[in-house]
Amino acid sequence: MLTPLDIHSKEFKRSFRGYNEEEVDEFLDRVIKDYETLYRENIDLKETIERLNSKLEHYQHMEHTLHSTLVIAQETAEEVKLNAKKETELMIKEAEIRAQRLVDEGMSKVRKMTGEYEELKKQSQVFRTRLRTLLQAQMEMLNSAEEDEN
């Protein structure tokens, strides 16, 4: 690739019927200035492209990191949700077991109290029967003592 300095230092051979040297020199000066401007712009554009490519890589890396973070966050959310569901199911099962235990204990107490009630009822009947028998015996003794006195 030609540089502006290459164009500036180029020497042409002189010939008998050659071009006008002043015109050629003026034209070459304009070409050198324009080429120099284009050359600098080209360097600036390459630097800009390099800088933009660097930024692009940085943003692509950030995008990849954000994507990874998002995937991890989604997986974590699913895991938390699944764990919460499992914990809820476990709590429900434990509550059902406790409730069944309380029902069983309640039924056992009812059966025990029913048994005790039936036993007390029998004892009460036996007591009434004995009391009645005792009272009847006492009445008979009183009646018999009255008859003896009469």
Side-chain angles (χ1 to χ4, degrees):
M1 178 177 219
L2 283 176
T3 66
L5 185 60
D6 293 336
I7 295 172
H8 185 61
S9 60
K10 177 70 176 163
E11 294 285 329
F12 294 97
K13 294 180 186 174
R14 295 176 192 247
S15 67
F16 170 64
R17 295 178 92 189
Y19 294 106
N20 181 339
E21 258 187 69
E22 270 184 44
E23 286 180 14
V24 170
D25 286 342
E26 283 178 22
F27 181 74
L28 282 176
D29 285 341
R30 281 195 329 206
V31 168
I32 289 171
K33 285 180 187 175
D34 288 349
Y35 191 78
E36 199 172 286
T37 302
L38 290 173
Y39 190 79
R40 284 188 187 131
E41 284 179 2
N42 190 24
I43 290 173
D44 289 344
L45 289 173
K46 283 181 181 178
E47 288 174 358
T48 302
I49 288 172
E50 197 174 305
R51 191 175 65 248
L52 290 174
N53 278 337
S54 175
K55 283 184 177 181
L56 178 62
E57 285 179 25
H58 175 71
Y59 289 131
Q60 285 173 337
H61 178 71
M62 283 178 58
E63 179 185 17
H64 176 72
T65 303
L66 287 173
H67 178 70
S68 297
T69 303
L70 180 61
V71 167
I72 290 170
Q74 287 173 335
E75 289 172 354
T76 303
E78 285 298 318
E79 189 176 317
V80 166
K81 195 166 125 181
L82 183 64
N83 286 341
K85 184 178 179 184
K86 286 180 181 178
E87 191 174 327
T88 301
E89 289 173 356
L90 180 63
M91 289 171 71
I92 289 171
K93 284 181 183 179
E94 287 175 353
E96 287 173 347
I97 289 170
R98 267 188 262 124
Q100 186 60 46
R101 190 176 332 130
L102 289 173
V103 168
D104 291 345
E105 287 174 5
M107 293 297 286
S108 175
K109 285 181 181 178
V110 166
R111 280 192 290 273
K112 182 180 174 187
M113 291 176 123
T114 302
E116 289 174 1
Y117 172 74
E118 291 298 323
E119 181 63 29
L120 285 173
K121 205 165 135 184
K122 285 179 189 175
Q123 287 177 5
S124 174
Q125 267 183 334
V126 168
F127 177 75
R128 277 190 224 133
T129 304
R130 285 184 182 164
L131 185 60
R132 193 175 293 123
T133 305
L134 180 64
L135 286 175
Q136 282 176 350
Q138 291 296 321
M139 289 293 281
E140 283 177 15
M141 280 178 40
L142 277 174
N143 287 341
S144 158
E146 273 181 16
E147 282 180 15
D148 285 344
E149 283 179 13
N150 282 339

